[in-house]
Each structure stands twice: as C-alpha cells, then as structure tokens.
Amino acid sequence: MQIDPNSPIGVFDSGVGGLTVVRALMERLPFENIVYFGDTARVPYGVKSVETIAHYTTQIAEFLLAKDVKLLIIACNTMAAVAAQVVRDLSPVPVLDVIDAGAFGAAQATRNKQIGILGTPTTINSNAYAQAIHRYDPDIRLYSQACPLFVPLVEEGWLDHPVTRLTAQEYLKPVLAQEVDTLVLGCTHYPLLTPLLQDVAGPNVRLIDSAQAMAERAAILLKEQQLGNPNRGAPRYEYFVTDVPVRFQTIGERFLGRTLANVHVVKW
Ligand code: DGL
C-alpha cells in the first residue's frame, strides 16, 4: 500500500488525556496534520476488562483508518497495554504506542537499573511496561504502582492540591523505598502532575513523560519511512469525540495547552 505523506497522523485515547500526546506532537512535528479521537462517552478504560477495551480499540482504529491516516498512535497507556497487537494486526499503516515509547525512554534514562512504573490498574496488571522495558534491557528491576485516584484528581484540575500531594506521597512511598532513579508516568493524565510528582520524588529521580517520548519516536519513524509532510503550510487539527461532557472544553484545553477547535461528535 502506498502511504501519502500529506495524510494526517491519527492519535487516539479513551478520552481527552491523549491530548498530552497531541501537544507533544504539535511541538515536535509542527507541520503534521493530526486527527484525534477521544472516546469521551466511555472513558475511563483503566478499570474495564481486556475484552471490552480490545473491542472499543478496534472500533476507534477502524474509524481513524477510514480517515486515511498515515500513522496510528495509541496515546492511551491502557489500550496500548492490552490491545496494541489488535491494532497492529488490522492496520495497513505503521502503529506506535505510548508504552513502547515510554519503555524505550526509561531504559535509556536509568543509571542504577531500578525503574518505577505508575499507571492505571489495568495497565499495571497487564505487566506490559515490564515486558516492554525488558525487551530493551532484561537486567532492569521494576517496581509498579497502580494510581487509580490520579485520573479523577487531574480531571478535577487539582494539579497542585494538598489532596493530590498526599495521594502522590502514599502511592510513591513503596516505589521510592526501592531507590528507583527513573519513574515512568504510564498514563495520559500523569504528565500534568509532573511538577508535583517531581517534588515528591525528589531531584534525583528522572520522570519519563511517555507523551514526549512518543513525539520523539514518531519523528524518527516519519523520517526513516520518508512519511514527513512535505507541505510547510499551517497544519490542520481535527478532533472527534463520542460525547461532550461537562467542562470538556476546559479540561481538553488544559491537556492540549491551547484552544480546542474543530471538535466533532461521533454517535455510536
Ligand atoms: N487514557 C488512560 C491511560 O492512559 C487513562 C484514562 C482511562 O482510564 O481511560 O491509561
């Protein structure tokens, strides 16, 4: 199949959290057109079964492929953890997922080979980060921590709230006790907590933001496969969501770091 470099990059997530990945892509690849899909009607995925997540993921990937995307990016750690292969099996275009990107970044960053992983319960239970990191270096020791309260706290906008700080201290205590030097932010929402988490973890712990790592991976892939958009005009950004919940605009713009326009609602 001939892939058109002018086509957009398709990015998807269970909700608006994947806009942290879109934001990193916009900064790293400013000429690329992007189509985003957020399943705002069915979020959160992080507590759903593997079968349900695989089914929803297939629907979304097929939707974006019908938009003729040149690259599919699974921005949701939970979908990447349990359904990345489902997407690879059905996609005729390259597929990147945040877990692989974050794992690569973490394996490169660690000096003492002790890494902590933070994620939703489904992501942590899947063991996907451990498997991905061990593909890069089997000697790394991993300490995982599910942080189910972080997603609602971020959506509430409590990015530097005493409740969030206390929650982070509780979640990080057992991981930091293992003297990790690298901490993977294994969920779309966690990059918004970076200042607070860095403060709790201390200056000697390196935080791996999988959104940044993903933007870097995407840039490398587009270059290698000569799929970068040759057009130097202003890029087109389009957003598809399955619902427009209360405070959608405010929360979405917080993730994206800019105005959210061109939003279409898909009714399934
Ligand atoms: N997007 C999800 C993730 O990165 C977090 C939100 C959810 O649970 O659906 O894991």
Side-chain angles (χ1 to χ4, degrees):
M1 177 190 152
Q2 188 66 29
I3 302 175
D4 182 358
N6 289 295
S7 297
I9 299 175
V11 183
F12 62 100
D13 177 43
S14 53
V16 286
L19 293 173
T20 50
V21 173
V22 172
R23 179 181 189 162
L25 286 168
M26 287 170 167
E27 282 161 14
R28 182 67 185 80
L29 296 164
F31 300 113
E32 295 299 333
N33 300 310
I34 299 174
V35 185
Y36 180 80
F37 191 101
D39 196 359
T40 40
R42 301 188 291 201
V43 70
Y45 281 22
V47 288
K48 291 190 168 64
S49 72
V50 172
E51 292 71 26
T52 300
I53 295 167
H55 172 58
Y56 292 172
T57 306
T58 305
Q59 267 184 311
I60 300 170
E62 284 173 346
F63 178 91
L64 286 173
L65 286 168
K67 300 254 166 243
D68 282 329
V69 295
K70 63 179 173 186
L71 164 66
L72 271 179
I73 294 186
I74 310 175
C76 176
N77 290 257
T78 303
M79 284 197 249
V82 300
Q85 198 51 48
V86 173
V87 181
R88 293 203 163 88
D89 288 346
L90 66 83
S91 175
V93 300
V95 177
L96 289 175
D97 74 80
V98 269
I99 292 199
D100 186 53
F104 179 70
Q108 283 203 318
T110 184
R111 293 287 159 260
N112 71 357
K113 294 190 189 260
Q114 309 261 96
I115 297 180
I117 318 280
L118 310 179
T120 64
T122 304
T123 298
I124 296 304
N125 289 341
S126 75
N127 226 16
Y129 264 107
Q131 286 165 11
I133 290 176
H134 282 153
R135 275 201 291 276
Y136 293 111
D137 185 344
D139 295 332
I140 291 175
R141 294 184 72 95
L142 300 158
Y143 305 94
S144 301
Q145 177 66 50
C147 309
L149 294 175
F150 279 169
V151 168
L153 285 168
V154 169
E155 300 219 342
E156 195 52 42
W158 288 10
L159 306 182
D160 189 23
H161 189 283
V163 169
T164 314
R165 188 168 289 270
L166 203 60
T167 308
Q169 283 163 348
E170 280 300 310
Y171 283 149
L172 263 54
K173 206 186 291 168
V175 180
L176 295 174
Q178 302 297 332
E179 303 197 333
V180 299
D181 72 347
T182 305
L183 206 49
V184 179
L185 307 185
C187 174
T188 46
H189 288 55
Y190 303 174
L192 272 72
L193 295 175
T194 298
L196 184 142
L197 293 174
Q198 190 69 70
D199 209 38
V200 172
N204 298 329
V205 176
R206 172 106 180 256
L207 301 188
I208 301 296
D209 172 346
S210 41
Q212 297 286 348
M214 169 54 82
E216 212 40 58
R217 284 291 256 212
I220 293 169
L221 182 138
L222 293 184
K223 191 159 186 234
E224 275 173 5
Q225 304 204 11
Q226 297 178 352
L227 285 176
N229 190 357
N231 193 339
R232 288 293 178 253
R236 180 171 167 74
Y237 301 133
E238 237 183 329
Y239 307 90
F240 293 88
V241 292
T242 44
D243 189 23
V244 179
V246 186
R247 301 203 301 123
F248 167 79
Q249 198 74 21
T250 328
I251 298 170
E253 289 179 357
R254 185 177 299 141
F255 280 101
L256 193 62
R258 64 171 82 185
T259 311
L260 191 54
N262 256 337
V263 179
H264 314 279
V265 181
V266 180
K267 286 288 170 212
W268 275 346

